[in-house]
């Protein structure tokens, strides 16, 4: 069974779960406030749209550096295209694994199977590590001790995986990836490709910090577009929890689980569930999935 067939077989259950969660959340919505917020959206929303291609570029650049560690295997243009493909696949695959599954298409188009796959995996891990670094600092500034502790714990765990790749359970990882690609990989080559020089790891972590900061400036602008008064530092502090919610594997691209987490975290600063749901759907689904995903799907169909 190929990747498209696997995607099709798993989507129905995820769609049902997402719809059930959204139906439950609709009971919390003030429809008058919802319509008023949409109708009176601030023109600053255009800034959020303008940020999108630059945010994707930073993600593509990070992956390009990892991929080309031993020579030029992929151009920045193709890295950008494959990043868009990853966004498109996130719509159909659980736990935002489209960013990893894009390696399937990268391999079909460019070859270098293990390099494509290993670079996509460590790219995802480095992105998460950077997010927890940001979150721990922001939570510490706000004196949110529980959140700072959680972010630091996750940061340490991911740091060990990235800087000490010998600890990675390669056999299990190979099985999971083989489930999607139906291809057995060379574990030794995969492990070797994963062992990046520390200099590259540090550079890509710094790029990830820039990418996340830019992305959550976009989130902040979306909040301003709907006249929601929220601290940018607070957004950075909760960013890791918001993204963890999107990794819930039984929803369609985190639809539903992302909104539940946003409602909870926004309620801590007295923001209504209606605005929380609206901002979550606009930012995570419209801006960062549907719009770039359309371009990603077009690239898949073209190739």
């Amino acid at each position: 069974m190929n990747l498209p067939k696997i995607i099709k077989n798993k989507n129905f259950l995820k769609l049902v779960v997402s719809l059930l969660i959204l139906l439950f959340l609709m009971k919390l919505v003030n429809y008058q406030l919802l319509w008023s917020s949409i109708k009176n959206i601030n023109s600053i929303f255009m800034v959020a749209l303008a940020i999108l291609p630059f945010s994707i570029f930073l993600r593509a650049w990070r992956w390009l550096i990892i991929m080309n560690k031993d020579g030029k295997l992929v151009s920045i243009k193709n890295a950008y295209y494959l990043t868009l493909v990853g966004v498109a696949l996130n719509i159909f695959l659980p736990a935002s694994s489209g960013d990893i599954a894009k390696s399937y298409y990268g391999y079909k188009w460019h070859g270098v199977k293990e390099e494509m796959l290993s670079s996509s995996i460590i790219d995802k891990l480095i992105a998460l590590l950077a997010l927890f670094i940001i979150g721990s600092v922001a939570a510490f500034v706000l004196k949110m001790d529980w959140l700072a502790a959680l972010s630091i714990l996750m940061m340490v765990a991911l740091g060990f995986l990235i800087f000490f790749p010998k600890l990675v359970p390669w056999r299990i990882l190979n099985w999971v990836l083989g489930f999607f690609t139906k291809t057995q990989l060379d574990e030794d080559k995969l492990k070797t490709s994963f062992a990046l020089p520390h200099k590259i790891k540090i550079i890509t972590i710094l790029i990830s910090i820039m990418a996340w900061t830019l992305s959550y400036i976009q989130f902040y602008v979306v909040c301003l577009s709907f006249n929601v008064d929220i601290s940018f530092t607070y957004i950075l502090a909760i960013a890791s929890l918001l993204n963890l919610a999107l990794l819930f594997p039984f929803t369609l691209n985190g639809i539903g689980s992302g909104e539940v987490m946003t409602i909870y975290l926004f309620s801590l600063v007295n923001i209504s569930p209606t605005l929380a749901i609206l901002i979550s759907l606009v930012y995570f689904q419209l801006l960062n999935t549907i719009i770039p995903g359309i371009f990603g799907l077009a690239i898949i169909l073209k190739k």
Side-chain angles (χ1 to χ4, degrees), residues 33-44:
L33 175 60
L34 178 65
W35 172 245
S36 176
S37 299
I38 295 173
K39 184 178 178 181
N40 298 307
I41 187 172
N42 195 303
S43 59
I44 197 175

Side-chain angles (χ1 to χ4, degrees), residues 8-299:
K8 183 178 180 180
N9 291 340
K10 292 180 178 294
N11 272 349
F12 181 73
L13 176 60
K14 293 186 293 179
L15 178 61
V16 170
V17 173
S18 289
L19 288 176
L20 288 175
I21 296 175
L22 288 179
L23 284 173
F24 173 77
L25 294 179
M26 288 301 103
K27 297 179 180 180
L28 305 175
V29 172
N30 180 328
Y31 290 97
Q32 184 176 357
L33 175 60
L34 178 65
W35 172 245
S36 176
S37 299
I38 295 173
K39 184 178 178 181
N40 298 307
I41 187 172
N42 195 303
S43 59
I44 197 175
F45 182 76
M46 299 304 296
V47 175
L49 285 173
I51 288 174
L52 184 58
F54 299 100
S55 177
I56 293 174
F57 171 78
L58 288 174
R59 291 165 57 184
W61 183 27
R62 178 187 63 214
W63 179 73
L64 178 72
I65 292 174
I66 297 171
M67 183 65 195
N68 289 346
K69 66 182 187 302
D70 295 322
K72 187 175 181 180
L73 298 176
V74 178
S75 67
I76 185 61
K77 177 182 177 181
N78 287 329
Y80 199 95
Y81 281 178
L82 281 171
T83 301
L84 291 173
V85 166
V87 174
L89 293 176
N90 278 335
I91 301 173
F92 308 107
L93 292 174
S96 295
S97 56
D99 291 324
I100 296 174
K102 70 184 180 187
S103 61
Y104 173 86
Y105 289 95
Y107 162 58
K108 291 295 183 180
W109 299 338
H110 304 290
V112 291
K113 178 169 57 179
E114 277 77 16
E115 288 85 348
M116 282 282 178
L117 193 51
S118 61
S119 64
S120 297
I121 296 168
I122 195 169
D123 175 70
K124 188 72 172 179
L125 293 176
I126 285 174
L128 289 173
L129 174 60
L131 183 59
F132 284 112
I133 291 173
I134 294 171
S136 61
V137 173
F140 179 78
V141 170
L142 294 176
K143 298 182 179 179
M144 301 175 67
D145 296 337
W146 66 273
L147 186 52
L150 175 62
S151 296
I152 290 172
L153 180 63
M154 294 299 296
M155 183 176 65
V156 171
L158 286 169
F160 269 108
L161 284 175
I162 291 169
F163 288 97
F164 301 96
K166 292 181 180 180
L167 299 177
V168 176
W170 294 105
R171 182 171 297 179
I172 296 174
L173 183 61
N174 191 26
W175 180 86
V176 172
L177 295 169
F179 175 78
F180 289 106
T181 63
K182 290 300 174 184
T183 304
Q184 287 301 309
L185 304 174
D186 186 329
E187 292 180 20
D188 292 333
K189 188 173 182 181
L190 184 60
K191 184 176 179 180
T192 300
S193 300
F194 201 83
L196 290 172
H198 288 340
K199 180 180 178 181
I200 289 180
K201 292 175 182 177
I202 292 171
I203 290 173
T204 50
I205 288 171
L206 293 175
I207 292 173
S208 295
I209 290 174
M210 289 190 294
W212 283 120
T213 302
L214 185 61
S215 183
Y216 278 95
I217 288 174
Q218 185 186 37
F219 186 95
Y220 181 62
V221 171
V222 172
C223 291
L224 295 179
S225 300
F226 295 111
N227 300 308
V228 172
D229 184 17
I230 189 171
S231 162
F232 180 61
T233 305
Y234 183 73
I235 290 174
L236 294 180
I238 65 174
S240 57
L241 294 181
L242 293 174
N243 278 271
L244 284 178
L246 296 176
L247 297 179
F248 185 64
F250 301 111
T251 58
L252 193 66
N253 193 43
I255 298 175
S257 57
E259 284 64 55
V260 169
M261 182 63 75
T262 307
I263 288 172
Y264 169 70
L265 294 172
F266 273 30
S267 70
L268 299 179
V269 288
N270 301 315
I271 297 173
S272 74
T274 300
L275 293 174
I277 292 172
L278 178 60
I279 290 169
S280 179
L281 289 174
V282 168
Y283 173 74
F284 289 115
Q285 304 306 327
L286 177 62
L287 283 179
N288 286 286
T289 299
I290 295 176
I291 293 176
I294 289 172
F295 290 98
L297 287 172
I299 292 169

